[in-house]
Every structure is written in C-alpha cells, then in structure tokens.
Amino acid sequence: MPLMLDLTSKTIIYLFFALLVSEMRKLMDTLKELASEDPLTRANSGRYFYEFGSTEIARAQRSKQPLTLAFIDLDNFKDVNDTLGHQQGDALLVEIATTIKANLREGDILGRLGGDEFAILLTQTDQQQAKVILSRMQANLLNAVHPYDTRVTFSIGVVTYLADKPTSMKELVALADKAMYVIKKSTKNAIQYSDT
C-alpha cells in the first residue's frame, strides 16, 4: 500500500511539473511574440526589425543579392495628435501600418522604429525595383490617410546596398534616415534615394 501511494504521488508530481513546464513554454512564446511586435500597429518592433535585418544582410552578402531599406517619417503627424487627439492619431498609425503591410511582398518586413517612424526592408531588391514598389506604396499611403482629413504626408529616405558592401543594420538605417531628412527639410512628401 505505501508503495502504491508513493508511485501515485510521484506520478501526480510529475504531471504537475509537466503541466507547469508546458504553461511556461506558452508564456515564453507569448512574451517573445510581444517583444517582436508593436502592440498598437502590429508592425514588427524595432528590436525584431534590427535582428531580422542583420540576418538578411548576412544572407544578401552570401547570395550576392541587393538589399533596400526605406525609412518613412510621417510629415505633420504631431498636428493630428494636437488637433484631433491621440486616439485619432493611433487610428491613423494603425491605418498606415496596415497599408504598408498590404503593399509588401513575401520576405519584406515592416518595423516601427519610433512614434511616427517606420522602416521597411525590401529583400533582394535593387534601386530600380525599389522605386516601383515605393512609388506605388507612397500613393497608397496618401489614399489611406485622405479620409482622415489631415495634412499627413510621407518623407521617405531609401538606401540600397549591394552584397559587396558589408554593413550593419544600424549603418543602413542611419543612411536611410539621413536621406529622409534631406526630404524632410526641403519639400516633404517625397522619396530621396541615397547613392552608397
């Protein structure tokens, strides 16, 4: 009889720990997903975007394929929050992220890097291909924000790197950001392609 209780107790303890480990794995998966996704826009978080991009840079170098990064800053977005409120601003950010994702190809990735700053990594994409994709995307973004009756437009800086020019994601984002500021300080609502 004591042997039976001992075996039953051990089985219960084992099952309890198996259940506990299973629940911990689910929690870890949920936390990993939360860390990789911006909770508002469902774009990838900046951290995940940089990690993914680093992997893609290495892949581009191995396969000798071009890689394009676009940095998107929303012009006049502060006015939306100031005049229409943060709830309307949040709705607009969600609409913008949804529109960008709808225009991406399989293998491309969107990241939210700041409040009203997004970045797109276009894999296996040279500058000519990027021009077609981003021109269409900018037109679609302008159509998407039109119903919000705002002055929001899009300043976009773009940099294309070839596989023979090793770089880091940090450098790539900085170059695209620099190209974006050329537009931001002049006309706004345009795309600036950087020559690397």
Side-chain angles (χ1 to χ4, degrees):
M1 186 77 169
L3 183 60
M4 188 65 159
L5 283 175
D6 192 36
L7 185 58
T8 303
S9 297
K10 286 180 180 178
T11 303
I12 290 171
I13 291 170
Y14 173 79
L15 290 173
F16 173 75
F17 278 110
L19 180 64
L20 187 62
V21 168
S22 174
E23 290 301 313
M24 286 179 67
R25 281 191 178 139
K26 287 179 189 175
L27 179 61
M28 292 300 289
D29 288 344
T30 301
L31 290 174
K32 187 175 180 182
E33 185 178 317
L34 289 173
S36 67
E37 187 177 84
D38 173 55
L40 175 65
T41 64
R42 300 292 185 217
N44 292 290
S45 68
R47 178 177 161 220
Y48 181 82
F49 183 80
Y50 276 88
E51 288 173 5
F52 179 88
S54 296
T55 302
E56 286 304 311
I57 286 172
R59 185 189 326 264
Q61 289 170 342
R62 284 192 308 274
S63 64
K64 307 289 188 228
Q65 293 291 321
L67 187 67
T68 296
L69 189 136
F71 193 100
I72 303 171
D73 185 84
L74 280 59
D75 304 320
N76 310 310
F77 181 73
K78 186 179 180 309
D79 296 347
V80 175
N81 284 336
D82 291 347
T83 59
L84 302 175
H86 288 278
Q87 188 173 4
Q88 190 72 4
D90 287 351
L92 186 60
L93 289 172
V94 170
E95 182 67 33
I96 289 165
T98 301
T99 302
I100 292 172
K101 286 189 276 188
N103 284 273
L104 295 180
R105 306 159 306 166
E106 187 176 335
D108 297 338
I109 185 171
L110 166 67
R112 184 177 180 199
L113 302 187
D116 64 344
E117 296 173 335
F118 295 90
I120 304 167
L121 190 64
L122 302 171
T123 58
Q124 300 179 6
T125 306
D126 63 24
Q127 192 176 83
Q128 285 307 114
Q129 294 166 317
K131 285 181 179 181
V132 172
I133 294 165
L134 294 170
S135 292
R136 181 183 67 239
M137 185 176 298
Q138 186 184 33
N140 290 337
L141 284 168
L142 290 169
N143 286 334
V145 301
H146 181 73
Y148 288 82
D149 194 29
T150 68
R151 297 183 313 116
V152 171
T153 56
F154 303 90
S155 292
I156 305 172
V158 184
V159 61
T160 299
Y161 255 72
L162 302 176
D164 64 339
K165 292 188 176 182
T167 187
S168 69
M169 271 302 284
K170 187 176 180 180
E171 290 170 318
L172 208 54
V173 170
L175 287 168
D177 184 43
K178 184 178 176 182
M180 181 275 298
Y181 268 104
V182 170
I183 294 300
K184 193 83 170 168
K185 291 179 180 177
S186 59
T187 62
K188 294 187 179 181
N189 195 33
I191 304 174
Q192 174 72 32
Y193 293 89
S194 174
D195 294 320
T196 58

